[in-house]
Amino acid sequence: LVLAMGLMTTVSFAQDWNVDSRTRIDMSEANSKAVEGDMMSTSQRATVGATWGGSDWSIHASSDVNYTFTDGTSGVLSAKVYEAYASTDLMGYASVTAGRQALDYGSGAIMSSNQWGANRTSWDGFTFGLNLEMADVTLGYASSTDSISGENGSNSQMWLNAAKGEGDWNANLLYVSTTEGAGDAMTAMGLDLSYAMMGGDLNLNVSYNTADALDGSDKDMDMTMIGATYNVNESMSISGSQTTYGENGFDVGSASMGGFENSGSLGYLGADDVNLAIGGAYAMGDFTLGATMNMITNEGDGVTAIEDRDVMDISVGYTMSANANLSISMATDTQGDNETNYMWVTLNIMP
């Protein structure tokens, strides 16, 4: 009995449970010219996870259960394993993790998980983490039956990520090689740099991303962003950035940047697009307010004119308690006579 109680106590302290419930009301089409009348969709995502571990090992597993109720007439239920992996320390010099993992590197323009949507992104494979003095280095390999280019077949990915931070600056370099079936490998690289000035009140950011075309052609894709954020005081900050896309655009299948409907954000833009974004954020007690104006231009080919596009994104958040958050997000996407409105009310509960 004493031995059993001791084992139960050990297991109890070695366990860590987490639960996250997200309810979102989608009113995106309520003011759209594409449909008649209002449309309302309610989605529920419940995530249950558990971690067991010791001083140099751990096992983590979590699952997503999604339920979508549309127009009060029909519902769709789905469930999937979100993460399931085991990790161990290799004599303090490195670590290895094997299984299904959600991964985010750098700015997330090349590899990122979709924490906003129902179908979140994860990778089946393993990662090696090296604790080097010059940088934090991660090597990874993953395989999947899903096709990145949209064709039938399997694909595999290998990547190298190196992150370094010292003093006022941080740098992150990501290199990814993707192979589909017996085809040639497609490569992508992202470099992110940040520098803090004025005692941390002014932060400068630069991001450069390049990748092979998904169709296997020799038309390389690229995207460059330069930006700055100024902390006016402890509660208020303002930011500005300019993002420029190359003549072949930029779009890789291993990032969760599918636009407002899929990822809740602007997402990738088109070839030769230039986005000038100006925004601000304000926090007052339990309330937060954020707004960003995206002004997207494109000179086109000089013959066919491309209309300017403006996207206004506003969010309001309220911390109800230590276990619950409520937020309202609205976006208006206008280009010429076409206007699309997005609106979500989200409640997150984390007991």
Side-chain angles (χ1 to χ4, degrees), residues 283-339:
M284 181 179 63
D286 295 328
F287 287 91
T288 58
L289 174 65
T292 302
M293 183 64 187
N294 298 274
M295 294 163 283
I296 304 168
T297 58
N298 192 318
E299 296 181 357
D301 56 8
V303 178
T304 303
I306 299 178
E307 294 180 315
D308 294 346
R309 178 185 174 193
D310 296 327
V311 182
M312 186 66 180
D313 188 359
I314 301 174
S315 62
V316 179
Y318 174 60
T319 302
M320 303 171 64
S321 68
N323 308 99
N325 299 287
L326 179 67
S327 65
I328 299 176
S329 301
M330 296 168 287
T332 300
D333 190 341
T334 305
Q335 187 171 20
D337 295 331
N338 297 320
E339 179 179 294

Side-chain angles (χ1 to χ4, degrees), residues 59-131:
I59 298 175
H60 175 78
S62 63
S63 62
D64 280 350
V65 178
N66 294 281
Y67 183 77
T68 302
F69 194 63
T70 305
D71 291 337
T73 59
S74 61
V76 178
L77 177 66
S78 64
K80 62 178 292 188
V81 175
Y82 175 48
E83 288 188 298
Y85 59 81
S87 300
T88 185
D89 180 75
L90 301 178
M91 298 179 292
Y93 296 101
S95 63
V96 59
T97 301
R100 176 167 295 182
Q101 309 164 60
L103 303 171
D104 295 270
Y105 295 111
S107 64
I110 295 178
M111 286 189 70
S112 58
S113 57
N114 187 353
Q115 298 300 316
W116 186 90
N119 298 315
R120 298 195 282 180
T121 306
S122 57
W123 284 261
D124 294 333
F126 57 84
T127 56
F128 287 98
L130 305 177
N131 301 321

